Each structure stands twice: as structure tokens, then as C-alpha cells.
Amino acid sequence: MDEMRRRLIQSGGGMTLLGLLLAAGWIKPEEALAQAQTWNKAAFDTHSLTDTMKALGGGDPAQSKDIVFFQTPEIAENGAVVPIGVTSNIPKTESIAILIEKNPNLLAAVFDIPTGTETSISTRVKMAQSSNVYALVKADGKYYVAAKDIKVTLGGCGG
Amino acid sequence: MADPMKIRATTLGDSTEVKVLMSHEMETGQRKDAQGQTIPAWFIQNVIVTWNGRTVLSAQWGTAVSKNPFLSFKFKGGAKGDRIAISWMDNRGDKRTDETVIA
């Protein structure tokens, strides 16, 4: 009996209960959202590049040419709406984070990419001023980074 | 209650492209109103996208994502008529879920 129980627990261990329920279509996405409501406050509250990367778990990321910015301007006329596209060509990419060096809070967004989803995302961010924008990629447990300098002619966080 | 999202999901070969436009203020908490009072931060924190109930993307956002956020990505698989559902939750606990079928 005990042996059986152990095996059951082991086989189920690779997937969380939440994942199983989702896969089975038993729970709705909004319920999943409520249960998965993790928001990395520690990382979003950081104010320096090293602190942010550390809070995300990637203390010393390697520079990578396999991270490519697309649909991302050199010069943004409006800092309130700056398109950012990031593609990671690094195998086993698990997540992509976007950091804006000169924003009050550096971290803009973290995207967790499950297997089967292309490691490429596109969104729009606010930039307070001209700054380096970093894409921090986690792949196979390791961290990689690429930067792009974006000039902003009109800031996005003025009041 | 926030306005509905605009979602477009189309299959291109063996992958499906999802484009979303959400309706949200995404207030940074940095701005001040006419009286000099700081306008409190109000922004989407979590986003989850599912395809027929399976998660294909999840995200955590900060205040730097633009007002009325845009998001686009692709995943492998997906067929015409499959369900795509997108949910977000903001820092006030407001939630919204919208669905579409792949075209």
C-alpha cells in the first residue's frame, strides 16, 4: 500500500495540482489567476540594475547576442508608448523580463513562457527618459541579457 | 468593471498568433493631480492566457507597461475554433476575463 502511494505522489510531483486541473479543463482561467496570483513585489520595487537582476534571480547574467529586439525604435517620440519586442533564440528559454534602466522602478514586465509558446513577445512600455532597455532571459536555469539604447524625445511619466 | 479586451487570434501555419489590447489606466503612482496630490498607482499585475484551458503565457507587470496595454505572442498548435481566454488582475484586485475563438 505504502509503495503504491509513494509512486503516485512521485508521478504527480512533476506537475502541480493547479497545472493538472488546468490541463484537465476543470478550472477556469480566472480561477487559475486567483490561485497563481504571484507578483514579485521584491523585484518590481527595486531601483537599480543590479538589485533588480538579483531580485529576479539573475545576479550576474551573461551578455547574449541571441536575444534580439524587434519592432523597437531607436528614437521614441512618445515615452508613454514605446513598442518593445524581444525574441530569445536561446534554447530552453523560460522567461523574458524587460527592464528600463532610468525608470523609477526598473522592472516593467516579466513573461513566463511555457513549452510550446514561441520565445518572442511584444508589448508597449512607458519610459521616463532616454535609457538603456534590458531584456533579461532565463533559459535552462541560467540568465542572459541584451541591451538596447532608446532615445525618448517626450517623457512618459511627467505630471 | 473595465471595458472588454480586444483579442485577435489567428493561425499561421503551425502556430497561432495572439494579439490583445486591454483597457486599463495603468497609473504609475508617479503623477500628481492638479492639487499636487499623488495619484495612486493602479495597474495590471498579472496576466494569464490559456488555449483550451492550457496556459500558453503568463506575465507579471509593473507600472511601466503602457496605458491600455498591448501584448502579442505566438504559440505552437491551435486550430480554428479553439478557445483563447485571457485574464488579468490589477493591484486593486479587479479582474477581467475575455474569450475569443481562433480565426
Side-chain angles (χ1 to χ4, degrees), chain A residues 31-59:
Chain A
E31 289 162 12
L33 185 71
Q35 287 173 52
Q37 52 170 276
T38 47
W39 192 70
N40 195 340
K41 191 173 189 306
F44 280 100
D45 276 352
T46 52
H47 304 282
S48 82
L49 196 60
T50 44
D51 286 354
T52 309
M53 290 190 178
K54 225 178 266 173
L56 286 169

Short mmCIF file of all heavy atoms in Angstrom, two decimals, chain A residues 31-59:
data_model
loop_
_atom_site.label_atom_id
_atom_site.label_comp_id
_atom_site.label_asym_id
_atom_site.label_seq_id
_atom_site.Cartn_x
_atom_site.Cartn_y
_atom_site.Cartn_z
N GLU A 31 -10.02 31.51 -12.31
CA GLU A 31 -9.75 30.83 -11.04
C GLU A 31 -8.27 30.50 -10.92
O GLU A 31 -7.67 30.61 -9.85
CB GLU A 31 -10.59 29.55 -10.95
CG GLU A 31 -12.06 29.85 -10.76
CD GLU A 31 -12.96 28.67 -11.08
OE1 GLU A 31 -12.44 27.55 -11.24
OE2 GLU A 31 -14.17 28.89 -11.19
N ALA A 32 -7.68 30.15 -12.05
CA ALA A 32 -6.24 29.88 -12.07
C ALA A 32 -5.48 31.15 -11.71
O ALA A 32 -4.51 31.13 -10.96
CB ALA A 32 -5.81 29.39 -13.45
N LEU A 33 -5.96 32.25 -12.24
CA LEU A 33 -5.32 33.55 -11.98
C LEU A 33 -5.36 33.85 -10.49
O LEU A 33 -4.37 34.27 -9.91
CB LEU A 33 -6.07 34.63 -12.77
CG LEU A 33 -5.49 36.04 -12.72
CD1 LEU A 33 -4.20 36.09 -13.52
CD2 LEU A 33 -6.47 37.04 -13.28
N ALA A 34 -6.50 33.60 -9.89
CA ALA A 34 -6.65 33.88 -8.46
C ALA A 34 -5.67 33.03 -7.66
O ALA A 34 -5.11 33.49 -6.66
CB ALA A 34 -8.07 33.62 -8.02
N GLN A 35 -5.46 31.80 -8.11
CA GLN A 35 -4.57 30.92 -7.37
C GLN A 35 -3.10 31.18 -7.68
O GLN A 35 -2.23 30.95 -6.85
CB GLN A 35 -4.91 29.46 -7.68
CG GLN A 35 -6.20 29.04 -7.03
CD GLN A 35 -6.63 27.66 -7.46
OE1 GLN A 35 -5.86 26.73 -7.39
NE2 GLN A 35 -7.85 27.53 -7.93
N ALA A 36 -2.85 31.65 -8.90
CA ALA A 36 -1.47 31.86 -9.32
C ALA A 36 -1.04 33.31 -9.12
O ALA A 36 -0.09 33.76 -9.71
CB ALA A 36 -1.31 31.48 -10.79
N GLN A 37 -1.80 34.03 -8.29
CA GLN A 37 -1.52 35.45 -8.18
C GLN A 37 -0.21 35.73 -7.47
O GLN A 37 -0.17 36.27 -6.37
CB GLN A 37 -2.68 36.21 -7.52
CG GLN A 37 -3.12 35.64 -6.20
CD GLN A 37 -4.07 36.55 -5.49
OE1 GLN A 37 -3.66 37.47 -4.81
NE2 GLN A 37 -5.35 36.30 -5.62
N THR A 38 0.85 35.34 -8.11
CA THR A 38 2.15 35.68 -7.59
C THR A 38 2.61 36.93 -8.30
O THR A 38 2.54 37.01 -9.52
CB THR A 38 3.15 34.55 -7.84
OG1 THR A 38 3.02 34.15 -9.19
CG2 THR A 38 2.88 33.36 -6.94
N TRP A 39 3.01 37.88 -7.56
CA TRP A 39 3.56 39.09 -8.13
C TRP A 39 4.83 39.39 -7.37
O TRP A 39 4.80 39.54 -6.15
CB TRP A 39 2.54 40.24 -8.01
CG TRP A 39 2.91 41.43 -8.83
CD1 TRP A 39 2.89 41.55 -10.18
CD2 TRP A 39 3.33 42.70 -8.33
NE1 TRP A 39 3.29 42.81 -10.56
CE2 TRP A 39 3.56 43.54 -9.45
CE3 TRP A 39 3.55 43.22 -7.05
CZ2 TRP A 39 3.99 44.85 -9.33
CZ3 TRP A 39 3.98 44.54 -6.94
CH2 TRP A 39 4.19 45.34 -8.07
N ASN A 40 5.91 39.41 -8.11
CA ASN A 40 7.23 39.51 -7.48
C ASN A 40 7.49 40.94 -7.00
O ASN A 40 8.22 41.70 -7.63
CB ASN A 40 8.29 39.06 -8.49
CG ASN A 40 9.61 38.80 -7.83
OD1 ASN A 40 9.87 39.27 -6.73
ND2 ASN A 40 10.45 38.04 -8.51
N LYS A 41 6.88 41.26 -5.85
CA LYS A 41 6.96 42.63 -5.33
C LYS A 41 8.41 43.05 -5.11
O LYS A 41 8.80 44.17 -5.44
CB LYS A 41 6.19 42.72 -4.00
CG LYS A 41 5.99 44.13 -3.51
CD LYS A 41 5.08 44.16 -2.30
CE LYS A 41 4.69 45.57 -1.91
NZ LYS A 41 5.81 46.49 -1.70
N ALA A 42 9.20 42.13 -4.61
CA ALA A 42 10.61 42.43 -4.32
C ALA A 42 11.33 42.92 -5.58
O ALA A 42 12.09 43.88 -5.54
CB ALA A 42 11.29 41.19 -3.76
N ALA A 43 11.03 42.26 -6.71
CA ALA A 43 11.70 42.62 -7.96
C ALA A 43 11.15 43.92 -8.53
O ALA A 43 11.90 44.77 -9.03
CB ALA A 43 11.57 41.49 -8.97
N PHE A 44 9.82 44.09 -8.43
CA PHE A 44 9.22 45.30 -9.02
C PHE A 44 9.55 46.56 -8.21
O PHE A 44 9.45 47.66 -8.71
CB PHE A 44 7.70 45.14 -9.16
CG PHE A 44 7.30 44.33 -10.37
CD1 PHE A 44 6.95 43.00 -10.25
CD2 PHE A 44 7.27 44.91 -11.63
CE1 PHE A 44 6.60 42.25 -11.37
CE2 PHE A 44 6.91 44.17 -12.75
CZ PHE A 44 6.57 42.85 -12.62
N ASP A 45 9.92 46.39 -6.95
CA ASP A 45 10.22 47.54 -6.09
C ASP A 45 11.68 47.98 -6.13
O ASP A 45 12.06 48.89 -5.42
CB ASP A 45 9.84 47.22 -4.64
CG ASP A 45 8.36 47.49 -4.39
OD1 ASP A 45 7.71 48.06 -5.30
OD2 ASP A 45 7.86 47.13 -3.32
N THR A 46 12.48 47.32 -6.95
CA THR A 46 13.91 47.66 -6.95
C THR A 46 14.19 48.90 -7.81
O THR A 46 13.43 49.23 -8.71
CB THR A 46 14.74 46.49 -7.49
OG1 THR A 46 14.18 46.10 -8.74
CG2 THR A 46 14.74 45.32 -6.53
N HIS A 47 15.30 49.55 -7.50
CA HIS A 47 15.62 50.81 -8.16
C HIS A 47 17.00 50.83 -8.79
O HIS A 47 17.47 51.89 -9.20
CB HIS A 47 15.48 51.98 -7.17
CG HIS A 47 14.13 52.05 -6.54
ND1 HIS A 47 13.03 52.56 -7.20
CD2 HIS A 47 13.69 51.63 -5.34
CE1 HIS A 47 11.97 52.47 -6.40
NE2 HIS A 47 12.33 51.90 -5.28
N SER A 48 17.68 49.73 -8.82
CA SER A 48 18.96 49.71 -9.53
C SER A 48 19.09 48.42 -10.31
O SER A 48 18.45 47.41 -9.98
CB SER A 48 20.13 49.84 -8.54
OG SER A 48 20.41 48.59 -7.97
N LEU A 49 19.89 48.49 -11.34
CA LEU A 49 20.00 47.38 -12.28
C LEU A 49 20.43 46.09 -11.57
O LEU A 49 19.82 45.04 -11.74
CB LEU A 49 21.01 47.75 -13.37
CG LEU A 49 20.99 46.90 -14.62
CD1 LEU A 49 19.61 46.96 -15.29
CD2 LEU A 49 22.05 47.37 -15.59
N THR A 50 21.46 46.22 -10.72
CA THR A 50 21.97 45.01 -10.06
C THR A 50 20.92 44.44 -9.09
O THR A 50 20.73 43.23 -9.01
CB THR A 50 23.27 45.28 -9.30
OG1 THR A 50 23.12 46.51 -8.59
CG2 THR A 50 24.45 45.37 -10.23
N ASP A 51 20.23 45.35 -8.36
CA ASP A 51 19.21 44.89 -7.41
C ASP A 51 18.08 44.17 -8.13
O ASP A 51 17.59 43.13 -7.68
CB ASP A 51 18.62 46.07 -6.63
CG ASP A 51 19.58 46.60 -5.59
OD1 ASP A 51 20.64 45.96 -5.40
OD2 ASP A 51 19.27 47.63 -4.97
N THR A 52 17.64 44.75 -9.26
CA THR A 52 16.52 44.16 -9.99
C THR A 52 16.89 42.78 -10.49
O THR A 52 16.14 41.82 -10.35
CB THR A 52 16.11 45.06 -11.18
OG1 THR A 52 15.92 46.38 -10.71
CG2 THR A 52 14.82 44.55 -11.82
N MET A 53 18.08 42.69 -11.09
CA MET A 53 18.50 41.40 -11.64
C MET A 53 18.67 40.37 -10.53
O MET A 53 18.31 39.22 -10.69
CB MET A 53 19.79 41.56 -12.44
CG MET A 53 19.52 42.33 -13.74
SD MET A 53 20.89 42.33 -14.86
CE MET A 53 20.23 43.24 -16.25
N LYS A 54 19.17 40.85 -9.38
CA LYS A 54 19.34 39.95 -8.24
C LYS A 54 17.98 39.45 -7.75
O LYS A 54 17.79 38.27 -7.48
CB LYS A 54 20.08 40.68 -7.11
CG LYS A 54 21.17 39.84 -6.47
CD LYS A 54 21.89 40.62 -5.39
CE LYS A 54 23.13 41.31 -5.91
NZ LYS A 54 23.75 42.20 -4.94
N ALA A 55 17.02 40.38 -7.67
CA ALA A 55 15.68 40.02 -7.19
C ALA A 55 14.99 39.04 -8.13
O ALA A 55 14.15 38.24 -7.72
CB ALA A 55 14.82 41.27 -7.02
N LEU A 56 15.37 39.10 -9.40
CA LEU A 56 14.79 38.17 -10.37
C LEU A 56 15.52 36.83 -10.35
O LEU A 56 15.10 35.87 -10.99
CB LEU A 56 14.84 38.76 -11.78
CG LEU A 56 13.84 39.88 -12.08
CD1 LEU A 56 14.17 40.55 -13.40
CD2 LEU A 56 12.42 39.37 -12.09
N GLY A 57 16.64 36.81 -9.67
CA GLY A 57 17.40 35.56 -9.54
C GLY A 57 18.62 35.51 -10.43
O GLY A 57 19.39 34.56 -10.39
N GLY A 58 18.79 36.52 -11.29
CA GLY A 58 19.90 36.51 -12.24
C GLY A 58 20.94 37.54 -11.86
O GLY A 58 21.05 38.59 -12.48
N GLY A 59 21.70 37.25 -10.83
CA GLY A 59 22.66 38.21 -10.30
C GLY A 59 23.70 38.67 -11.31
O GLY A 59 24.00 39.84 -11.41
#
